[in-house]
Amino acid sequence: MSIPGTTATATDIYQNEAVPATVERFQRLFNTLSSGNVTGLAEVYSNNIRFTDPFGAVNGRKALQAYFEKVYTNVRSCRFDFTEVIISGDQACLAWVMHLEHPRLRRGRQITVHGMSHLTIHGGRVQFHRDYFDGAELLYGNLPVLGGAIRWVRNYAT
């Protein structure tokens, strides 16, 4: 998309943007993603994004979009409360609490997962994104049969 009266494009707008502004766009993006709506990645992520979470890793924005489309399939709602943001140079760490409703997890009731995202930002875009969270807290502990067993083991061990 070109900006009328200039030779700049929408992509160029973010090139000189400060890291905090990119982090704000990142936070807004993650509170708009939903089943059937994983658009807006180009405004936050670079073409060569490297993304990793406890369930997988992808390289490139197209691969990330496909990954998010798969992850958000059947999600009824997903909201993030970003509780703390630490920025140092081109690095940002965001602590968050995710509130998720998925019909196959905990019979569709809301689950809460605590985690953190580590970002590296260059030219107004996220080039590296790694999420840290307990996969068992998100998935395994909330499956119908396996979840009960995991919760029993956790309670037994503490």
Side-chain angles (χ1 to χ4, degrees):
M1 172 175 110
S2 292
I3 300 170
T6 71
T7 58
T9 65
T11 301
D12 296 331
I13 292 171
Y14 302 120
Q15 291 302 314
N16 295 318
E17 191 171 62
V19 171
T22 304
V23 169
E24 286 180 26
R25 284 197 331 275
F26 174 87
Q27 291 172 311
R28 280 194 306 273
L29 172 69
F30 271 84
N31 278 314
T32 61
L33 295 176
S34 63
S35 178
N37 180 28
V38 293
T39 59
L41 300 183
E43 294 175 10
V44 173
Y45 290 103
S46 69
N47 282 327
N48 60 346
I49 178 66
R50 290 180 302 127
F51 173 85
T52 304
D53 72 10
F55 300 117
V58 296
N59 292 308
R61 195 166 57 220
K62 287 183 181 180
L64 180 62
Q65 181 161 347
Y67 182 77
F68 284 165
E69 286 171 355
K70 183 178 178 183
V71 167
Y72 277 89
T73 299
N74 299 319
V75 168
R76 288 186 186 150
S77 74
C78 185
R79 176 178 55 85
F80 289 85
D81 293 328
F82 293 95
T83 58
E84 187 171 357
V85 177
I86 300 169
I87 296 174
S88 179
D90 65 354
Q91 307 285 314
C93 292
L94 295 84
W96 45 259
V97 179
M98 178 177 61
H99 307 277
L100 175 71
E101 291 180 18
H102 190 290
R104 294 185 182 152
L105 299 175
R106 216 140 185 234
R107 297 185 180 107
R109 293 187 311 245
Q110 185 179 86
I111 60 174
T112 302
V113 177
H114 295 79
M116 187 193 84
S117 295
H118 173 216
L119 311 175
T120 301
I121 300 167
H122 292 289
R125 296 285 190 280
V126 176
Q127 289 193 328
F128 173 81
H129 175 182
R130 182 164 186 170
D131 280 341
Y132 297 90
F133 60 87
D134 182 352
E137 182 181 15
L138 171 61
L139 183 59
Y140 311 122
N142 291 295
L143 292 172
V145 175
L146 186 58
I150 289 174
R151 285 189 297 277
W152 181 85
V153 169
R154 281 188 176 162
N155 288 335
Y156 181 78
T158 55

